[in-house]
Amino acid sequence: MARDASRVETFSDGVFAVVLTVMAVELLQNGPARASGRELPDALAHAWPSYLAYVITFGIAGQIWLGHHNMWRYVVRVDQPLVVFNLLVLLFVAAIPFTADLLSDNLRGSVVEQRLSAALYLGTVLGESLFFNLSWWWARRRELLHPDLDPELARAVSRRLLARPLLYLTAFAFVFVDPILSLVLYLLLVGLSLIRRPGDLPRFAPEVDGGVSGRGR
């Protein structure tokens, strides 16, 4: 029997909050205040890998949370497989701080270390995106979405979600050319995600219960 989706969304929001908090704590631990024997400008410049990893990771995690929030506005019921798919999304999301820490520690390392740490980091993001798509596909297939959701809007959201792992995979391929360039491409993709597209929250009008057919268009 399908159940209400509110508990799943609340739990997911808690995981995102913990991930963002852990990232901030990691940034404090790697801050220039702990670098002895350096002037502040030099210490700040020396810590650039930590800042780069933080900015990209915060952007990606924020993008994932925003997409998750937008998607779950339309989910009114959940079943066991959808809960499992959502847990797998959160599995990759929770791993982002770990892979980001590896990345910041190895951006000055050998080419092999750079590529391996960047591949683990970007592979984590790619895995999240794939299971995110699977969650949406399953919710549509099992009719767990709001019954008044416009089918055209649902298809537009599906196309949008499907494009994300394809773009991530393209950026991922650049790991083997230049790891830092690959990360910059991911950051650009995060910027592109801020452009309003089908399924996003409306700009001004508040949501009205029972009127989801045109929301986010």
Side-chain angles (χ1 to χ4, degrees):
M1 178 181 295
R3 299 183 62 183
D4 178 79
S6 59
R7 289 189 63 189
V8 177
E9 188 172 9
T10 300
F11 174 77
S12 302
D13 284 346
V15 173
F16 281 107
V18 170
V19 167
L20 295 177
T21 301
V22 169
M23 287 165 44
V25 171
E26 287 291 332
L27 184 66
L28 289 173
Q29 290 179 343
N30 294 313
R34 292 182 176 269
S36 59
R38 293 179 181 271
E39 297 293 331
L40 181 58
D42 185 36
L44 289 170
H46 183 75
W48 70 264
S50 297
Y51 305 145
L52 177 62
Y54 175 79
V55 170
I56 294 176
T57 303
F58 193 94
I60 290 176
Q63 177 198 26
I64 297 169
W65 175 81
L66 184 59
H68 191 278
H69 178 65
N70 286 335
M71 168 187 160
W72 282 82
R73 289 186 302 142
Y74 302 117
V75 179
V76 293
R77 297 178 300 130
V78 297
D79 59 8
Q80 186 77 4
L82 182 58
V83 173
V84 171
F85 293 149
N86 187 69
L87 283 174
L88 291 171
V89 170
L90 299 178
L91 170 70
F92 284 97
V93 170
I96 288 177
F98 168 72
T99 55
D101 189 49
L102 282 178
L103 182 66
S104 64
D105 286 344
N106 290 284
L107 277 180
R108 289 196 185 92
S110 65
V111 174
V112 173
E113 291 172 335
Q114 288 181 357
R115 288 178 176 174
L116 179 58
S117 58
L120 289 172
Y121 180 80
L122 303 178
T124 299
V125 178
L126 181 60
E128 168 277 322
S129 183
L130 292 174
F131 280 107
F132 199 110
N133 270 271
L134 188 57
S135 299
W136 176 255
W137 171 82
W138 183 262
R140 287 188 66 196
R141 180 176 182 270
R142 300 297 296 177
E143 299 181 351
L144 302 174
L145 304 178
H146 197 290
D148 293 336
L149 177 62
D150 185 352
E152 181 182 347
L153 176 58
R155 288 191 292 271
V157 172
S158 297
R159 290 192 296 270
R160 170 184 175 178
L161 292 178
L162 185 60
R164 193 156 63 100
L166 297 176
L167 292 172
Y168 279 178
L169 189 60
T170 301
F172 179 82
F174 278 85
V175 166
F176 304 99
V177 178
D178 186 334
I180 295 180
L181 174 60
S182 180
L183 294 175
V184 171
L185 290 176
Y186 267 74
L187 191 58
L188 290 176
L189 293 180
V190 171
L192 289 175
S193 72
L194 299 178
I195 300 174
R196 191 169 181 271
R197 292 168 293 178
D200 284 349
L201 290 167
R203 289 178 177 170
F204 304 109
E207 294 186 13
V208 179
D209 292 340
V212 302
S213 59
R215 286 191 305 180
R217 302 186 67 178

